[in-house]
Amino acid sequence: MAAVDLTTHPGHLARRLQQAHHLLWNTMVSEETTSPQFAVLNALVAEPGLDQRTVGERVGLDRSTIAEVISRLGRRGLLGKARDPQDGRRFLLHLTDEGLGVHRRLSVRAARMNQVFLAPLSADERTAFFDLLRRVADAAEGLRNPESSGVPG
């Protein structure tokens, strides 16, 4: 049997893309704050007072991963929790002043990193690239949660 052409395998290309992103993130944005941690900070800038489950949904992290990310950000003093006055079992999350400052600094660095990361593409290609990535990512979410997407299991 002949070797397969891995450049036609989306998972292989996605892994290579993720490796490049990880390298650029660590060198240009932060070695301390990961991209998923930044996504959580960003979600809470956009919508302060979300609960942990909702933040996880917003940024595409599963329950165990979001719990660990929230815990790490809390230990670093970047976010705080307050009991939900309407449901005492839930905690609502908010960024601390330090968390807001970290988000502000990393947003500028991430924008610069994205320019480097996407430099091989023209403006039109970037638009198409993001559209295609979103479509595939949305479909992949449906595969992860077939009961909510109507995808047969």
Side-chain angles (χ1 to χ4, degrees):
M1 180 171 204
V4 297
D5 180 2
L6 292 178
T7 64
T8 65
H9 286 234
H12 176 74
L13 294 173
R15 183 185 56 75
R16 288 181 55 206
L17 194 67
Q18 177 58 30
Q19 286 175 323
H21 179 268
H22 182 75
L23 174 67
L24 280 176
W25 185 271
N26 284 342
T27 57
M28 294 185 72
V29 181
S30 177
E31 289 183 336
E32 185 178 29
T33 303
T34 65
S35 179
Q37 289 172 354
F38 175 75
V40 168
L41 296 176
N42 195 63
L44 291 171
V45 165
E47 297 178 83
L50 294 176
D51 64 274
Q52 180 172 301
R53 180 187 56 78
T54 305
V55 172
E57 290 171 358
R58 294 285 196 278
V59 300
L61 295 175
D62 61 61
R63 285 173 42 178
S64 61
T65 304
I66 191 64
E68 180 59 28
V69 168
I70 296 294
S71 177
R72 287 178 189 223
L73 292 172
R75 284 194 304 271
R76 289 180 54 204
L78 303 182
L79 66 78
K81 299 178 181 182
R83 211 170 276 286
D84 184 342
Q86 277 126 13
D87 181 351
R89 298 168 295 175
R90 283 187 343 155
F91 286 92
L92 305 179
L93 306 171
H94 64 276
L95 295 187
T96 62
D97 288 343
E98 186 175 350
L100 288 167
V102 166
H103 177 267
R104 207 170 13 258
R105 283 190 302 280
L106 296 187
S107 292
V108 172
R109 294 178 191 170
R112 272 192 238 121
M113 183 211 70
N114 286 334
Q115 289 174 339
V116 170
F117 195 55
L118 298 170
L121 304 177
S122 70
D124 288 344
E125 288 171 328
R126 289 176 190 194
T127 299
F129 179 70
F130 283 118
D131 179 54
L132 294 169
L133 281 177
R134 276 190 289 273
R135 285 173 43 200
V136 171
D138 290 348
E141 280 297 311
L143 296 174
R144 258 182 34 181
N145 304 306
E147 66 283 347
S148 64
S149 69
V151 174

